[in-house]
Amino acid sequence: MAMLTVSHLSKAFGENPVLEDISFTVDQGEVIAVIGPSGSGKSTLLRCINQLETADGGEITVCELPLVRTENGKAVYPDKQTLREIRLKIGLVFQNFHLFPHMSVMQNIIEAPLRVLKQSREEAVATATELLRKMDLSEKADAYPCELSGGQQQRVSIARALALKPEILFFDEPTSALDPELTGEILKVIRELAKEKMTMVIVTHEMAFAREVADRVIFMDGGVIVEQGTPEQVFGNTQSERTRQFLRRYHSE
Amino acid sequence: MSLQDVLNVTKILLQYLLPTLKIFGLTLLFSIPLGMVVAVLRRIRFWLVAKPVGFYILIMRGTPLMLQIITVYYAIPMLSQNSFPFLEHLLSFVDTRSNSYQFNALLVAFVLNYAAYFAEIFRGGIESIPQGQYEAAFSLGMTKMQTFFRIILPQVVKRILPASANEVITLVKDTSLASVIAYAEIFRKAREQMVTYSSLAPLFIAGVFYFVLNAVLTVLFSAAEKKLDYYQ
Ligand SMILES: Nc1ncnc2c1ncn2[C@@H]1O[C@H](COP(=O)(O)OP(=O)(O)OP(=O)(O)O)[C@@H](O)[C@H]1O
Ligand SMILES: [Mg+2]
């Protein structure tokens, strides 16, 4: 079952086209890695799907709910209620975590379940406690974000997103703001989520990780999808010269 | 001046502590919410809102409060008596001969002035919150109201506390400007006593009053800042 369908998506900032004719699907339980050089539009793609940017044209469907359609050449969005419903099916993990600094780890995680899903406190705390255990952060429940390492903060932000039980989880370079020795702990968490068949779309510069954990890899450059396929296809049997150049640069670094 | 005189003057000034505190308290009570409203208006780009609000802040911050007090105090009676019928009608509810007119005029001037300063502090505070906080709250499905009151406002309060403390402490001292329209508060009385005793001492005693008030406020604000020190 397709959890996410993007077809012919386009987006420009002013005169500057950033996404052009982007099409792909994500099936339930799939892990998609999005790779590509800086400025190729990876973040913008994620932000369009997460309603942080509005698309100019094309279609996005999330769990059978149309997020955007194009009618007479104009992008059309549904009503506020539907947009919110769609938003709750999607979790987003930011590069810079964006935890709420004035709230403890526990409060960060239970805030949305309490106020958005109107869960009881017991239920929200129980879910959060379980998530913290999974993230190996049980003893940090009462800590504040500023007291945590970058890796720990990122794990809290993953737990915060998971607490709403999203159907799909998006990551925008979840390890890029971390010291190299801390990236491992985040990759481990994502690996475990993949084992549990969590549907995920991960923008990453960790090529080895993308190759290992992804079911499919999407290579973007200049606002278009240049190549997509299994890791074996994209990394092992590269079709496009642009992809090859990009991967070569990565290997030489 | 003898010690007895000092005690007498202190006793007299103490009686006028309440009027001073009344200006102080009511100015805070009204100027903080008004400042919030102005801060929100200030974020609107539409020129019909942006220009007048910008002009208001410019004037309030660019001219002396003393001038503003005098202007409000004398301008309202003039406008409500011998100008356009429209203004006369508009201001007819202000009874300039009533006992409370002096204080009301004073309060209007103080509130308008302090709201402008608070608005700028609030605006700076709101703008200092990173966009990522809004985006995180949005992607968690929080409404605009929830985002503002649960996520943004608590962080703004922490950030604006030092600047607000400055404003509040300045306000304590600025209450003395009320004496310019002969409103009977501590400073006015101290000047009268100065003449009576031909001595500067009453002014210094008034100075001690302001100093003590501000010492208390400083302690309170430090405590508040410490309380919000648990993060960042
Ligand atoms: N808010 C914006 N306004 C104008 N231009 C923007 C905006 N956001 C992004 N862009 C432009 O869109 C293009 C794509 O940016 P995007 O952030 O999506 O790239 P990216 O693939 O995520 O890059 P990186 O790997 O550096 O994160 C860039 O040229 C960028 O300058
Ligand atoms: Mg990016």
Side-chain angles (χ1 to χ4, degrees):
Chain A
M1 183 186 122
M3 301 293 280
L4 171 69
T5 312
V6 176
S7 47
H8 310 296
L9 179 70
S10 64
K11 164 81 184 168
F13 286 112
E15 293 290 288
N16 176 26
V18 175
L19 297 176
E20 286 175 279
D21 199 20
I22 300 281
S23 301
F24 66 97
T25 60
V26 182
D27 286 336
Q28 184 153 35
E30 259 194 319
V31 177
I32 308 290
V34 182
I35 61 171
S38 187
S40 56
K42 307 181 297 296
S43 294
T44 306
L45 172 61
L46 251 56
R47 292 172 63 83
C48 284
I49 300 168
N50 284 278
Q51 303 176 32
L52 293 169
E53 303 284 357
T54 46
D56 297 338
E59 267 146 48
I60 301 175
T61 308
V62 179
C63 303
E64 326 263 81
L65 294 170
L67 167 60
V68 56
R69 292 167 296 127
T70 300
E71 277 170 16
N72 307 323
K74 266 181 63 186
V76 184
Y77 279 82
D79 58 291
K80 261 171 97 173
Q81 201 46 46
T82 312
L83 287 176
R84 216 163 113 87
E85 199 182 325
I86 294 174
R87 205 146 68 234
L88 286 175
K89 294 193 180 296
I90 295 180
L92 177 58
V93 174
F94 299 87
Q95 181 175 343
N96 294 310
F97 334 129
H98 298 328
L99 292 175
F100 305 132
H102 58 301
M103 294 182 175
S104 71
V105 165
M106 178 58 80
Q107 288 169 325
N108 262 280
I109 300 175
I110 64 175
E111 178 69 13
L114 284 181
R115 293 183 194 269
V116 177
L117 300 184
K118 313 281 182 207
Q119 285 180 6
S120 70
R121 185 163 281 273
E122 297 81 67
E123 186 186 357
V125 169
T127 310
T129 308
E130 172 58 19
L131 282 168
L132 284 175
R133 196 189 53 71
K134 247 172 85 177
M135 299 292 148
D136 207 8
L137 285 171
S138 296
E139 69 285 11
K140 296 289 184 193
D142 296 323
Y144 283 86
C146 62
E147 300 164 338
L148 304 178
S149 73
Q152 291 170 331
Q153 290 187 49
Q154 191 58 295
R155 280 182 281 152
V156 174
S157 91
I158 296 173
R160 182 177 68 176
L162 287 172
L164 291 172
K165 305 199 167 62
E167 304 283 343
I168 315 179
L169 194 51
F170 290 82
F171 295 82
D172 192 357
E173 303 194 28
T175 60
S176 291
L178 302 178
D179 293 335
E181 68 268 23
L182 297 179
T183 60
E185 57 191 67
I186 301 304
L187 300 184
K188 184 170 151 244
V189 166
I190 298 176
R191 220 174 266 131
E192 267 155 30
L193 290 172
K195 250 186 240 147
E196 294 167 17
K197 288 290 159 206
M198 180 81 209
T199 312
M200 291 185 283
V201 177
I202 308 162
V203 173
T204 184
H205 287 296
E206 304 279 336
M207 294 305 145
F209 178 69
R211 188 169 193 162
E212 167 210 327
V213 81
D215 298 305
R216 260 175 328 118
V217 177
I218 293 175
F219 171 69
M220 285 179 70
D221 193 7
V224 298
I225 294 182
V226 176
E227 195 161 346
Q228 57 176 316
T230 63
E232 291 73 41
Q233 286 168 343
V234 174
F235 291 107
N237 183 21
T238 314
Q239 298 298 308
S240 141
E241 184 51 36
R242 268 151 95 189
T243 318
R244 214 168 290 141
Q245 267 177 10
F246 172 75
L247 292 175
R248 208 175 301 131
R249 230 190 28 243
Y250 255 90
H251 278 296
S252 60
E253 262 169 22
Chain B
M1 264 176 76
S2 69
L3 185 62
Q4 189 53 49
D5 293 342
V6 169
L7 282 178
N8 278 342
V9 171
T10 306
K11 227 182 271 166
I12 291 168
L13 293 190
L14 211 46
Q15 285 165 8
Y16 289 90
L17 180 61
L18 195 63
T20 291
L21 290 179
K22 218 167 101 185
I23 305 170
F24 173 76
L26 289 176
T27 298
L28 284 186
L29 186 70
F30 292 117
S31 65
I32 289 176
L34 182 61
M36 281 186 194
V37 172
V38 175
V40 170
L41 291 179
R42 192 112 164 90
R43 291 168 66 81
I44 297 174
R45 296 250 177 78
F46 181 53
W47 67 272
L48 218 55
V49 178
K51 291 276 184 227
V53 173
F55 183 70
Y56 155 70
I57 291 180
L58 195 67
I59 295 296
M60 287 300 141
R61 302 207 309 168
T63 61
L65 176 54
M66 192 188 286
L67 170 62
Q68 294 163 17
I69 293 169
I70 295 172
T71 307
V72 172
Y73 184 62
Y74 291 108
I76 292 178
M78 274 191 254
L79 287 177
S80 60
Q81 274 155 31
N82 43 26
S83 65
F84 313 101
F86 160 71
L87 271 177
E88 226 168 288
H89 182 73
L90 196 72
L91 294 169
S92 60
F93 71 96
V94 192
D95 183 359
T96 53
R97 279 152 312 185
S98 82
N99 292 334
S100 55
Y101 172 70
Q102 188 189 31
F103 180 76
N104 291 346
L106 205 53
L107 193 60
V108 166
F110 269 92
V111 168
L112 286 179
N113 180 279
Y114 271 80
Y117 282 95
F118 279 123
E120 286 297 276
I121 291 176
F122 297 152
R123 183 174 70 110
I126 291 173
E127 283 174 2
S128 75
I129 304 299
Q131 191 59 27
Q133 293 290 304
Y134 292 92
E135 293 186 352
F138 175 80
S139 79
L140 291 170
M142 296 177 75
T143 62
K144 284 212 164 102
M145 289 287 260
Q146 288 171 335
T147 303
F148 184 73
F149 286 105
R150 298 285 308 167
I151 308 299
I152 307 303
L153 192 60
Q155 297 184 58
V156 169
V157 168
K158 180 185 163 87
R159 288 183 190 216
I160 65 172
L161 208 54
S164 306
N166 266 338
E167 260 346 283
V168 172
I169 283 168
T170 306
L171 174 58
V172 169
K173 295 175 285 182
D174 276 356
T175 56
S176 62
L177 292 174
S179 62
V180 74
I181 56 167
Y183 180 70
E185 42 66 66
I186 290 179
F187 199 73
R188 180 81 194 178
K189 285 297 147 184
R191 272 168 58 187
E192 285 174 15
Q193 299 299 312
M194 181 180 84
V195 175
T196 310
Y197 286 94
S198 312
S199 157
L200 277 178
L203 280 191
F204 292 145
I205 296 169
V208 171
F209 272 79
Y210 293 110
F211 184 82
V212 170
L213 283 177
N214 274 334
V216 172
L217 285 170
T218 305
V219 169
L220 288 179
F221 271 106
S222 310
E225 277 177 45
K226 210 173 221 141
K227 201 161 164 347
L228 291 178
D229 226 15
Y230 64 87
Y231 70 90
Q232 269 161 11

